[in-house]
Amino acid sequence: MVSNAVSQEFARKVAGQDVTVAEWSFMRALYDLEPVPPSVLAEKMGMTKGAISKLAERLLAKGLVVRTENKDDKRAHSLSLTNEGRDKIPVLAALADENDAEFFDTLTREEHETLNRILKILAERRGLDATPVD
Amino acid sequence: MVSNAVSQEFARKVAGQDVTVAEWSFMRALYDLEPVPPSVLAEKMGMTKGAISKLAERLLAKGLVVRTENKDDKRAHSLSLTNEGRDKIPVLAALADENDAEFFDTLTREEHETLNRILKILAERRGLDATPVD
DNA sequence: TATAATAAGTTTCCTAGTCAATGATATTCT
DNA sequence: AGAATATCATTGACTAGGAAACTTATTATA
């Protein structure tokens, strides 16, 4: 319930910037990894290649992302942020922080830290590292 | 990440019983509330009426749910579990418990209780009560 | 070196939601 | 009583992702 509520509220916030959560997640990954092939993003985001292909297409159409050919391998290409895309990162990151604060700042500092610690334990034991998309 | 992983693994488990998470959620709500009109279910599950309408249709087709006319109001009807549907509840509930155990039994008793406590605080402060569906 | 196996991405088909429009009653207001 | 309005549910158009087939390119093998 909590996770869904946090996510849904975040979706509402980023919608104001004409971006979906999946798109944010994609752009955020690009910010760290660009230039990066779709296959790696699929891995990082826990989505299928097909989904990434379509997501990339949408972001391309919005002018937030560009493809660059790989000259060693004609099948492959890499994805990067456009300047416009990169400029959106801090705006969206601020919304993410705001969203987290809205939910988790009602906790005491100790509760907050404990929650983080426990969730990290759980993620680690399961070997989780895919950025959630919904 | 944790929430998504728990949910995805649960989806995998119930798929073995030819049921989706949304269907389980629906049936579980019915178990508590039957007979219940779709509108109430939509509220409880945090889904739109449209989604409930289609979900109900699928469960009807599977023979797990039945509709009963409301004779006072011809627009309305109620939904209930069939015997077959009711029989599935304990099976699916066991899978849910098993799934929770799989993820959360690696925590110490204290960590487990703390996690519950904190999540309950968060849910309460937000007034959350919709059963998650994904 | 021709052919088979594999790999990177895309596309198609399917499922499952939302949203908005609609249909069919019910209710309210005059 | 009849018109306007509200309510319950379904439907259709649309969106997003998964699975698997497909296309093209690369690598391995006989």
Side-chain angles (χ1 to χ4, degrees), chain B residues 71-129:
Chain B
K71 57 176 165 303
D72 297 342
D73 185 340
K74 286 182 187 165
R75 293 168 306 180
H77 66 254
S78 287
L79 297 158
S80 310
L81 291 166
T82 59
N83 288 332
E84 189 186 342
R86 205 171 353 261
D87 288 349
K88 272 189 180 284
I89 297 287
V91 179
L92 296 169
L95 290 179
D97 290 346
E98 190 188 307
N99 197 57
D100 284 355
E102 200 173 308
F103 277 86
F104 298 106
D105 279 3
T106 61
L107 296 176
T108 66
R109 168 168 288 283
E110 202 205 326
E111 285 167 341
H112 201 148
E113 277 166 6
T114 304
L115 178 59
N116 275 329
R117 184 174 63 78
I118 295 177
L119 290 175
K120 271 178 189 155
I121 290 172
L122 291 169
E124 214 163 89
R125 295 211 179 133
R126 275 273 158 173
L128 305 177
D129 70 338

Side-chain angles (χ1 to χ4, degrees), chain B residues 38-39 49 53-54 67 75 77:
Chain B
S39 49
K49 296 176 304 165
S53 185
K54 292 165 190 169
R67 274 199 247 265
R75 293 168 306 180
H77 66 254

Side-chain angles (χ1 to χ4, degrees), chain B residues 1 5 43 48 56 59 66 69 83 94 101 103 105 111 127 131:
Chain B
M1 270 162 42
E43 173 66 24
T48 61
L59 286 164
V66 281
E69 301 300 312
N83 288 332
F103 277 86
D105 279 3
E111 285 167 341
T131 316

Side-chain angles (χ1 to χ4, degrees), chain A residues 1 16 31-32 51 76-77 83-85 96 101 110 121 123 126 128:
Chain A
M1 269 162 44
Y31 186 73
D32 284 340
H77 64 254
N83 289 332
E84 189 185 343
E110 201 205 327
I121 291 172
R126 276 273 158 175
L128 306 177

